[in-house]
């Protein structure tokens, strides 16, 4: 023991002649008490100092115990504070009362541009998040609280009603006391992530805790630590794309200004502000870049939308460090969520998420099997960890406000059964509302189309409370226009829980669009295409029994294969000319088939999340290919009609920098030339207009995406066709009002098709498409919340003689569930 002590003292001798003191503290905003990240801290008169981290904390070595520290931060008044090495400091900085508007008049050459160009040139070397393989562990904490809305402050000296004053003061005091003692909401999560460039990644949720909820899986996606890279040409924030400040050509769109130069050892750090130039119209960001001369890499970032959305907006902060001398990598991430339109007793709620990355391995030897499968994985049982586990993850122990939040909100959640109420929100995304051991199938409750009118019913299926490995369900519904009942039942066996592998057997007695096209896969409850069903007035009644096997190959490819027997009947007067011989011709409206079905969905690099009860898609930046096919065999399952059909579609949305979003759908199909009407194609027209309406005045129409807006329903019939649907939205690039933000756009649709044997079909009106069908339109979305207007014009060889007949004027609606 003595020897060890002597060695320690001996080792410390060289430092005793030049003792250093360490001063620690935290920098906050004087008004909001929000931590200020990246504040420059240095002794007065010195050149080198330190920068506060994302939590506003700093630690600086000084030669004396008492020293004057200088604090500087863009947008805040510089501050000098007398400090000692005693207890930690709390330094409150005041935001500048008046900030002079920066002008775009600069010297011939802006010195910030040279730094930005060097930073952009080093992207592949310095962007550790996108260009290198890595692993890390993470801990995140999210809180929601509120601050007083300055616009709602009541001057009680101007109110003569003393009772009103007392009421205002009482409610304000109650809210203030609540916010001082706890948060509205608290969530913690821990994950482990691996990544191989360019896009192979997997993140596993190791633990998760949400105030008020026993089962946190509903918020599983919030545990993801995936964030944007400031080096990316386009940066996605809340499903909206912005031009990155380091994108090619950014110096022509953004105004960059060097605000400060910091010194760290042998390196300098340039603090550069950026914002869209005046007169430019594009989705831009505003914030600060801290660029280190060591490789001209981004060290710190702040970013938010230049035009703040009053409903919800987000501000980001990223703190990067050089990991193991290899590459710059984010070690701390902050996200501030502002809900300016939501006011509670004069207070505006906001959220803060702080994420800390640990055990970072850059250029790690990550094997392919480590990142195979869904991008995000969460198991209901594994996320439930004890307090000792959480204590080992947290950078700081929970304060009194956080502890009280868990205690109070957990008790309240148990009292009102918050888990059950949250399931209603989940039902909008999944289409299934859990009710004890069964789920209510929401798409079976109510629907409307031009054939059935309103259809009311119900559908139920067992859920995981019964068994994880199978589900039994059924439905029934009644159409008030066709006055017929429909019903069906099914059994789904899932032998490997949590994997996209299933066997389904079913029996249905229902209706189906005549000449329609449908693809396998999940269907949202409501989309911008759903209004098409208003115009679908030709349907067939069918009775179908079969089995279907579904499985996934990797994360990109999914297959469906099945066999079925179907009896289909048209009750609208259609007759199919079935020539058995020169002397015998049958007119049929009923068809029995037995055959095989096939479906495929290919989405390259599709991001998937495997949650405790389902797998969901997180989207892909690549086109999505859909294929469906049907082949009936004479004599199979008692079938008497041999026919076939093949359909395909490709969907892709291009996010075009500085221009807007271009959505493209290419659809096509080919069928047996001798097939009856139900197995051909109706081409999806949605212009419910005829001559009688023209004489009486047009009726109100609603647009449906990826359809022909000026084509009458069932106007054409084809046994092979190809259709192209283009829609370009300029967003708010062209019109930038403070409150009024319409989104203009252009629409263009085209189709070609043919019908080899129109003489085989009687009783229903239609035409064969002999020339290409062409139409174009102009839309303005968002005129009234989610509603807009559109005007469309039919042109080319297929146009009508009367010019007015070629126009269609419609409402547009924007929604998706």
């Amino acid at each position: 023991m003595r020897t060890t002590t002597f060695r320690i003292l001996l080792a410390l001798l060289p430092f005793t002649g030049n003792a250093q003191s360490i001063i620690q503290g935290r920098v906050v905003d004087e008004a909001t008490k929000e931590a200020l990240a990246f504040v420059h801290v240095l002794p007065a008169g010195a050149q080198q100092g330190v920068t506060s981290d994302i939590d506003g904390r700093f630690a600086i070595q000084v030669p004396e115990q008492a020293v004057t520290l200088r604090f500087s931060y863009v947008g805040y008044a510089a501050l000098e504070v007398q400090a000692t090495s005693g207890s930690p400091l709390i330094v409150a900085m005041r935001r500048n009362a008046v900030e002079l508007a920066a002008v775009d008049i600069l010297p011939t050459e802006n010195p910030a541009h040279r730094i930005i160009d060097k930073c952009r040139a080093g992207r592949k070397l310095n962007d550790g998040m996108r260009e290198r393989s890595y692993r890390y562990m993470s801990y995140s904490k999210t809180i929601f609280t509120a601050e007083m809305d300055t616009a709602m402050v009541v001057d009680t000296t101007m109110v003569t009603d003393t009772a009103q004053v007392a009421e205002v003061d009482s409610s304000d005091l109650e809210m203030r006391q609540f916010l001082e003692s706890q948060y509205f909401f608290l969530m913690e999560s821990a994950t482990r992530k691996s990544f191989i460039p360019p896009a192979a990644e997997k993140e596993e949720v190791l633990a998760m805790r949400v105030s008020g909820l026993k089962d946190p899986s509903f918020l599983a996606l919030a545990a993801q630590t995936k964030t944007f890279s400031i080096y990316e040409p386009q940066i996605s924030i809340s499903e909206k794309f912005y031009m990155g400040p380091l994108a090619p050509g950014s110096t022509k769109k953004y105004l960059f200004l060097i605000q400060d130069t910091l010194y760290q050892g042998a390196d300098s750090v340039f603090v550069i502000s950026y914002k869209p130039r005046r007169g430019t119209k594009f989705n831009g960001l505003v914030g600060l870049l801290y660029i280190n001369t060591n490789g001209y890499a981004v060290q710190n970032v702040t970013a938010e939308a230049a035009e703040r959305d009053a409903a919800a907006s987000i501000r980001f902060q990223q703190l990067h460090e050089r990991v193991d001398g290899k590459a710059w990598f984010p070690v701390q991430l902050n996200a501030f969520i502002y809900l300016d339109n939501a006011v509670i007793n004069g207070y505006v709620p906001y959220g803060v998420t702080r994420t800390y990355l640990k055990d970072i391995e850059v250029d790690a030897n990550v094997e392919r099997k480590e990142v195979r499968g869904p991008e995000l994985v969460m198991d209901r049982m594994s996320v439930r960890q004890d307090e000792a586990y959480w204590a080992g993850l947290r950078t700081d122990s929970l304060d009194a406000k956080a502890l009280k939040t868990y205690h109070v909100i957990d008790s309240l959640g148990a009292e009102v059964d918050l888990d059950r109420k949250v399931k209603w929100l989940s039902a909008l995304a999944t289409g299934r509302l859990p009710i004890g051991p069964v789920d209510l199938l929401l798409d079976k409750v109510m629907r409307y189309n031009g054939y059935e009118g309103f259809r009311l019913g119900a559908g139920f299926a067992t859920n995981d409370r019964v068994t994880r490995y199978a589900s039994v369900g059924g439905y029934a519904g009644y159409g008030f226009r066709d006055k017929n009942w429909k019903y069906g039942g099914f059994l789904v066996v899932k032998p490997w829980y949590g994997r996209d592998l299933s066997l389904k057997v079913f029996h249905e007695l229902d209706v189906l669009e005549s000449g329609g096209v449908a693809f396998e896969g999940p269907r949202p409850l409501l989309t911008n295409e759903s209004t098409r069903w208003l115009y679908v007035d030709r349907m067939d009644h069918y009775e179908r029994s079969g089995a279907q096997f579904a499985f996934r190959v990797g994360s990109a490819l999914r297959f469906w294969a099945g066999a079925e027997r179907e009896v289909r009947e048209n009750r609208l007067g259609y007759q199919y000319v079935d020539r058995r011989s020169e002397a015998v011709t049958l007119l049929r409206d009923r068809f029995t088939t037995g055959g095989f079905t096939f479906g495929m969905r290919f989405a390259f690099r599709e991001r998937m999340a495997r949650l405790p009860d389902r797998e969901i898609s997180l989207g892909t930046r690549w086109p999505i290919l859909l294929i469906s096919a049907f082949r009936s065999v004479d004599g199979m399952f008692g079938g008497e009609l041999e026919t076939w059909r093949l359909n395909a579609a490709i969907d892709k949305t291009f996010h075009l920098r500085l221009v807007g979003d271009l959505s493209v759908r290419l659809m096509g199909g080919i069928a047996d030339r001798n097939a009856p009407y139900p197995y051909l194609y109706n081409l999806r027209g949605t212009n419910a207009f005829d001559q009688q309406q023209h004489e009486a005045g047009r009726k109100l129409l609603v647009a449906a995406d990826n359809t022909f807006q000026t084509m009458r329903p069932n106007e054409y019939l084809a046994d092979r066709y190809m259709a192209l649907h283009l829609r370009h939205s300029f967003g708010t690039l062209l019109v930038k009002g403070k409150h009024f933000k319409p989104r203009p756009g252009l629409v263009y649709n085209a189709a070609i098709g043919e019908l080899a044997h129109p003489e085989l079909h009687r009783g229903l009106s239609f035409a064969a498409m002999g020339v290409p069908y062409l139409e174009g339109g102009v839309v303005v979305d968002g005129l009234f919340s989610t509603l807009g207007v559109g005007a469309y014009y039919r042109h080319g060889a297929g146009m009508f003689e009367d010019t007015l007949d070629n126009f269609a004027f419609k409402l547009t609606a924007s929604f998706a569930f």
Side-chain angles (χ1 to χ4, degrees):
M1 184 67 180
R2 292 178 181 176
T3 303
T4 302
T5 304
F6 175 75
R7 288 176 178 173
I8 294 173
L9 292 175
L10 188 64
L12 291 175
L13 279 177
F15 302 97
T16 57
N18 188 25
Q20 297 278 316
S21 297
I22 297 179
I23 297 177
Q24 299 180 355
R26 191 164 180 258
V27 189
V28 299
D29 183 286
E30 183 182 64
T32 66
K33 308 305 178 187
E34 177 185 302
L36 295 181
F38 317 141
V39 175
H40 193 210
V41 185
L42 73 167
Q47 281 194 330
Q48 297 205 15
V50 298
T51 303
S52 64
D53 67 10
I54 274 186
D55 295 322
R57 295 186 175 88
F58 68 91
I60 185 171
Q61 280 192 341
V62 294
E64 302 174 356
Q65 290 189 352
V67 69
T68 299
L69 294 180
R70 178 177 174 81
F71 297 81
S72 61
Y73 189 53
V74 177
Y76 285 76
L79 181 66
E80 291 190 353
V81 175
Q82 293 291 326
T84 64
S85 58
S87 58
L89 296 174
I90 299 295
V91 179
M93 298 188 69
R94 179 176 300 175
R95 186 180 291 274
N96 288 332
V98 178
E99 293 189 36
L100 296 178
V103 295
D104 292 5
I105 301 175
L106 296 170
T108 304
E109 184 179 2
N110 184 349
H113 288 182
R114 295 196 302 271
I115 301 170
I116 294 298
D117 290 341
K118 287 184 177 181
C119 184
R120 184 189 303 116
R123 174 182 64 84
K124 290 192 175 182
L125 180 65
N126 296 319
D127 188 2
M129 294 182 63
R130 296 292 182 268
E131 303 295 334
R132 297 171 182 261
S133 61
Y134 58 78
R135 293 189 191 92
Y136 64 69
M137 300 276 289
S138 77
Y139 166 75
S140 300
K141 182 171 76 171
T142 299
I143 62 101
F144 269 86
T145 184
E147 61 184 3
M148 180 169 287
D149 181 10
T150 54
M152 299 288 291
V153 175
V154 178
D155 185 0
T156 55
T157 61
M158 301 298 292
V159 181
T160 57
D161 188 343
T162 57
Q164 183 179 353
V165 172
E167 181 180 352
V168 171
D169 292 343
S170 174
S171 62
D172 178 71
L173 179 61
E174 184 179 346
M175 177 62 74
R176 186 176 303 175
Q177 290 174 340
F178 176 90
L179 295 174
E180 288 176 352
S181 63
Q182 70 174 81
Y183 305 114
F184 289 134
F185 171 86
L186 173 62
M187 180 179 73
E188 295 178 282
S189 61
T191 70
R192 176 173 53 227
K193 184 171 182 178
S194 303
F195 176 86
I196 300 176
E201 59 187 307
K202 175 173 283 189
E203 187 163 15
E204 180 183 1
V205 182
L206 304 176
M208 193 169 185
R209 186 178 180 185
V210 179
S211 59
L213 294 178
K214 297 177 183 178
D215 179 7
S217 61
F218 173 70
L219 296 174
L221 297 182
Q224 271 192 303
T225 58
K226 187 182 184 75
T227 186
F228 66 85
S229 168
I230 196 65
Y231 294 97
E232 293 176 338
Q234 289 194 95
I235 293 174
S236 175
I237 299 177
S238 298
E239 300 183 355
K240 190 173 183 179
F241 285 82
Y242 299 85
M243 180 182 182
L246 297 177
S250 62
T251 52
K252 297 180 181 179
K253 293 293 183 178
Y254 280 101
L255 174 64
F256 294 96
L257 294 175
I258 299 177
Q259 300 287 349
D260 202 352
T261 303
L262 317 180
Y263 301 95
Q264 296 179 355
D267 303 320
S268 300
V269 179
F270 297 105
V271 183
I272 300 178
S273 65
Y274 63 93
K275 67 177 183 178
R277 289 182 179 273
R278 289 188 302 174
T280 57
K281 292 184 178 181
F282 69 103
N283 290 331
L285 301 171
V286 61
L288 298 172
L289 297 173
Y290 289 65
I291 299 178
N292 195 304
T293 55
N294 185 349
Y296 281 86
V298 174
Q299 179 172 310
N300 303 323
V301 179
T302 69
E304 62 182 308
E307 290 191 357
R308 186 160 166 170
D309 191 328
S313 58
I314 305 178
R315 178 166 60 91
F316 291 93
Q317 297 173 338
Q318 296 179 352
L319 171 61
H320 298 70
E321 290 182 359
R322 200 170 179 86
V323 177
D324 297 331
K326 296 179 180 178
W328 293 88
F329 200 87
V331 295
Q332 295 183 33
L333 310 168
N334 271 5
F336 300 85
I337 303 124
Y338 301 101
L339 308 172
D340 294 341
N341 280 353
V343 180
I344 305 173
N345 285 358
Y347 285 78
V348 180
Y350 68 93
V352 180
T353 296
R354 302 185 186 278
T355 299
Y356 306 87
L357 307 187
K358 308 176 181 182
D359 303 330
I360 301 171
E361 301 175 51
V362 177
D363 292 336
N365 184 22
V366 180
E367 297 184 5
R368 281 287 168 184
K369 64 181 181 180
E370 193 174 331
V371 294
R372 191 173 295 136
E375 178 179 308
L376 181 70
V377 177
M378 177 182 183
D379 183 84
R380 180 179 280 113
M381 299 306 297
S382 66
V383 299
R384 298 175 182 174
Q385 303 290 350
D386 57 21
E387 188 58 34
Y389 181 90
W390 285 109
L393 287 173
R394 295 169 179 141
T395 55
D396 288 323
S397 58
L398 294 180
D399 57 18
K401 289 180 69 173
L403 291 173
K404 185 173 182 181
T405 302
Y406 272 139
H407 176 72
V408 173
I409 304 300
D410 284 353
S411 300
L412 181 61
E415 181 180 341
V416 301
D417 197 1
L418 187 58
D419 283 73
R420 183 180 296 275
K421 291 177 171 58
V422 164
K423 289 177 181 178
W424 281 93
L425 297 177
S426 178
L428 292 177
T430 64
R432 300 169 71 108
L433 175 64
I435 305 175
V438 299
D439 292 343
L440 174 64
L441 307 180
L442 298 183
D443 64 330
K444 305 298 183 184
V445 174
M446 184 179 71
R447 68 176 65 169
Y448 181 88
N449 58 63
Y451 182 81
E452 295 178 284
F454 277 105
R455 169 170 163 170
L456 300 179
F460 297 92
T462 60
N463 55 34
D464 288 358
R465 289 195 177 188
V466 177
T467 176
R468 284 180 160 195
Y469 302 102
S471 177
V472 180
Y475 70 91
Y478 181 79
F480 287 88
R481 178 173 294 173
D482 70 332
K483 296 180 172 54
N484 272 279
W485 281 97
K486 295 90 182 177
Y487 61 84
F490 59 86
L491 167 65
V492 179
V493 179
K494 298 171 284 186
W496 193 353
Y497 179 77
R499 301 298 189 270
D500 206 345
L501 179 69
S502 66
L503 176 64
K504 178 181 179 180
V505 294
F506 59 90
H507 178 78
E508 299 172 340
L509 187 72
D510 212 321
V511 292
L512 189 67
E513 180 184 6
S514 191
V517 176
F519 296 96
E520 297 287 352
R523 298 182 182 90
L525 286 176
L526 196 61
T527 70
N528 296 345
E529 199 172 322
S530 299
T531 51
R532 185 180 77 87
W533 291 101
L534 297 172
Y535 309 100
V536 175
D537 56 4
R538 290 183 183 177
M539 304 188 87
D540 304 311
H541 292 254
Y542 72 89
E543 182 174 8
R544 181 189 298 164
S545 301
Q548 184 184 67
F549 181 57
F551 60 97
R552 183 179 291 277
V553 179
S555 60
L557 191 58
R558 190 178 182 191
F559 289 101
W560 294 264
E564 63 183 35
R565 180 184 189 274
E566 179 187 77
V567 178
R568 186 179 298 201
E569 181 183 4
N570 185 284
R571 301 179 182 177
L572 295 173
Y574 169 72
Q575 293 179 322
Y576 173 65
V577 179
D578 185 2
R579 293 192 176 94
R580 297 298 177 93
S581 67
E582 292 185 3
V584 178
T585 299
L586 300 179
L587 299 179
R588 303 170 56 190
D589 59 9
R590 183 183 178 92
F591 313 96
T592 302
T593 59
F596 302 98
T597 60
F598 172 81
M600 188 190 81
R601 182 179 186 273
F602 179 71
F604 183 60
R605 290 184 181 171
E606 182 175 33
R607 300 167 53 228
M608 300 293 298
R610 182 188 301 152
L611 306 184
D613 57 345
R614 65 191 185 279
E615 283 192 344
I616 62 174
S617 172
L618 303 177
T620 177
R621 300 175 66 178
W622 297 84
I624 297 176
L625 171 65
L626 302 170
I627 294 177
S628 69
F630 167 70
R631 170 68 166 159
S632 67
V633 180
D634 188 11
M636 182 176 177
F637 304 139
E640 56 186 17
L641 176 67
E642 186 160 331
T643 190
W644 58 271
R645 196 175 194 235
L646 176 65
N647 311 305
I650 297 177
D651 283 302
K652 168 63 180 167
T653 297
F654 297 90
H655 303 288
L656 305 176
R657 186 159 47 95
L658 308 179
V659 179
D661 295 339
L662 174 64
S663 298
V664 179
R665 172 177 287 183
L666 181 63
M667 293 184 67
I670 182 170
D672 181 358
R673 292 174 179 265
N674 297 311
Y677 189 120
Y679 305 100
L680 301 180
Y681 303 102
N682 63 32
L683 296 182
R684 299 158 61 92
T686 56
N687 182 19
F689 169 83
D690 57 32
Q691 189 62 31
Q692 291 181 352
Q693 292 170 5
H694 177 45
E695 295 172 356
R698 293 174 179 265
K699 68 178 182 180
L700 183 65
L701 301 175
V702 181
D705 286 359
N706 300 316
T707 65
F708 289 93
Q709 311 295 338
T710 61
M711 182 188 295
R712 283 79 182 275
N714 314 301
E715 181 176 347
Y716 291 105
L717 184 66
D719 54 45
R720 57 205 60 211
Y721 81 101
M722 183 173 291
L724 175 66
H725 301 283
L726 302 176
R727 181 185 176 93
H728 183 85
S729 174
F730 293 98
T732 57
L733 297 176
L734 302 182
V735 182
K736 288 183 176 290
K738 186 174 181 180
H739 301 290
F740 180 61
K741 297 182 179 181
R743 303 185 303 276
L746 300 174
V747 175
Y748 198 83
N749 302 308
I752 56 174
E754 65 177 56
L755 181 64
H757 299 292
E759 72 278 2
L760 297 181
H761 313 284
R762 300 179 183 177
L764 295 178
S765 62
F766 63 85
M769 183 179 290
V771 295
Y773 190 93
L774 305 172
E775 67 176 22
V778 178
V779 297
V780 183
D781 296 320
L783 286 176
F784 311 98
S785 184
T786 60
L787 297 179
V789 296
Y792 310 89
Y793 182 70
R794 175 174 179 164
H795 66 96
M799 65 187 300
F800 295 117
E801 292 183 3
D802 189 335
T803 301
L804 186 60
D805 289 346
N806 295 303
F807 279 99
F809 303 95
K810 299 185 177 184
L811 286 178
T812 66
S814 303
F815 40 66
F817 292 105

